[in-house]
Amino acid sequence: FFFFFFFQSAHSTAMEDSRLSFIFTRRSVRKFTDQAVPEELLQKILEAGMSAPSAVCKDPVHFVVMRNRDLMNRVGEKLPAGKAMLAHCPVAIAVVGDINVAHSNELSYLLQDASAAIENMLLAINALGLGACWLGVHPREDRIPHVRECLNLPANMVPVSCIALGYPEEGAVPEPRSRFNAARVHQETF
């Protein structure tokens, strides 16, 4: 009971803590204005991605910035949920990882490193007043070769995701939320 109460009370104030608002207000945005994203903001987003933890500091993650509408449309052809977003967002970032650089050349470490970078970028995008949506590429076998070909990636580069981003259309940002569930918190053992 104590732990349940502790986590419930911690949860009820976490969303109200202004220091954490950039986390709880981060939501997937799927509709964007045509306004260009300034280079200074893109640079900050990429720096945030590169500041993510990486297994044994191997840093296998690379970023392909896309602004070319034809290229984004081609990439979107195999991303059914992302097709419309890539067709209308002003910029997208493909997150890819070099399997030859990843810790022990393990795909699992590459995916963890890329995911940490993606989350850092999504949080930075939100904190900078932009919106974004994480579009999964890996592990879909129909998507990986397609994105690899569109972006001219060498065989050692594994496409993990694309991030559609830009200034959100009015009304396109869902309400802040927490999905905290005390039943999923275990103390010491499962």
Side-chain angles (χ1 to χ4, degrees):
F1 172 77
F2 171 74
F3 289 121
F4 179 77
F5 176 76
F6 172 77
F7 283 111
Q8 283 296 99
S9 64
H11 163 66
S12 65
T13 61
M15 281 187 58
E16 298 166 3
D17 188 328
S18 63
R19 297 169 296 179
L20 300 177
S21 66
F22 73 102
I23 295 172
F24 293 107
T25 58
R26 192 230 52 88
R27 300 293 309 275
S28 293
V29 173
R30 293 173 172 84
K31 294 184 179 181
F32 308 95
T33 69
D34 293 334
Q35 183 179 350
V37 176
E39 284 300 317
E40 313 83 69
L41 294 185
L42 272 176
Q43 179 68 27
K44 290 176 182 181
I45 293 163
L46 293 166
E47 287 181 30
M50 291 182 194
S51 295
S54 171
V56 194
C57 291
K58 293 292 187 176
D59 298 324
V61 183
H62 291 250
F63 307 90
V64 180
V65 178
M66 297 177 278
R67 294 180 195 83
N68 179 285
R69 181 64 51 214
D70 290 337
L71 176 60
M72 290 191 286
N73 286 336
R74 272 197 340 241
V75 169
E77 288 171 5
K78 293 284 184 175
L79 305 179
K83 186 174 185 173
M85 285 178 265
L86 290 173
H88 296 101
C89 67
V91 64
I93 301 172
V95 181
V96 303
D98 187 340
I99 193 66
N100 294 337
V101 175
H103 178 48
S104 299
N105 305 114
E106 291 283 344
L107 181 61
S108 178
Y109 285 119
L110 181 149
L111 295 173
Q112 292 174 63
D113 291 353
S115 296
I118 294 163
E119 183 65 8
N120 269 19
M121 293 168 70
L122 292 174
L123 292 172
I125 288 165
N126 182 55
L128 294 169
L130 300 167
C133 191
W134 178 336
L135 308 173
V137 175
H138 193 277
R140 300 294 182 98
E141 291 302 324
D142 58 326
R143 298 176 186 182
I144 294 169
H146 174 76
V147 173
R148 182 176 279 134
E149 180 184 331
C150 288
L151 301 179
N152 198 29
L153 299 174
N156 58 302
M157 300 303 285
V158 178
V160 177
S161 76
C162 292
I163 300 171
L165 70 115
Y167 288 95
E169 273 189 9
E170 190 165 330
V173 180
E175 290 294 315
R177 73 168 180 197
S178 170
R179 298 192 309 212
F180 180 82
N181 180 345
R184 294 189 178 178
V185 179
H186 308 276
Q187 301 297 325
E188 310 306 336
T189 62
F190 195 90

